[in-house]
Each structure stands twice: as C-alpha cells, then as structure tokens.
Amino acid sequence: MRDKTRTNSATPGDRLIRAGAIVFFAGAVATLVTVAPLFLGTTPFPTYMFGLSMLMGVGFLIAGAGVLRSIAAGRRQARAAAAPSR
C-alpha cells in the first residue's frame, strides 16, 4: 500500500488549511501592530485595527474546517478500501 501513496498528493482540506494559516498570520500581525502602541506609549490605532485582530480566530476556524474535511475524506477512503468487492 505504501508504494501506491503519493508523498505530495493533496487531500481535500489542504487548501482550507493553507488559507486558514495565511488568515491566522495576518491576524497575528494585526494584533502585534494593534498592541505595540500600548507598550510604546504612542497614540492607539483606530478601532478597525482591533477588528482585524479577530482574523486570528477566523483563520483558526478555517484551518479547523480544513482539518475536519481532510479527516472525513480519509475516513471515506478507508471505508471504500475496506468494503468487500462483489
């Protein structure tokens, strides 16, 4: 079975996981930019920057959905392989 598995094959949830990671890191950068003025003693950023910080949670949810989709695809594939052929 190992010889039939491709090492770089893409599973159904891979794109969601990558997109979630990108959104998460964008939110992390926005969070750092938003919190920096508090430590530097400068003028705080506008309120929309705090909204951009929420991208961390959104990215986490997107990546989680990708993981769940990948798990579901793996289970379907395992069931298909285990099903008796007639």
Side-chain angles (χ1 to χ4, degrees):
M1 186 70 178
R2 189 173 277 243
D3 59 338
K4 294 180 183 178
T5 305
R6 295 181 190 169
T7 57
N8 60 357
S9 61
T11 59
D14 283 352
R15 287 185 181 167
L16 281 174
I17 294 170
R18 287 186 187 130
I22 291 169
V23 172
F24 180 86
F25 286 120
V29 169
T31 300
L32 291 174
V33 168
T34 303
V35 174
L38 299 174
F39 293 115
L40 300 175
T42 60
T43 307
F45 284 100
T47 307
Y48 70 87
M49 286 299 291
F50 292 100
L52 287 177
S53 297
M54 297 296 172
L55 287 177
M56 285 179 69
V58 172
F60 188 76
L61 289 174
I62 292 171
V67 168
L68 292 176
R69 187 170 181 196
S70 179
I71 290 170
R75 284 185 173 182
R76 280 192 300 270
Q77 186 179 13
R79 282 188 194 133
S85 58
R86 296 179 184 193

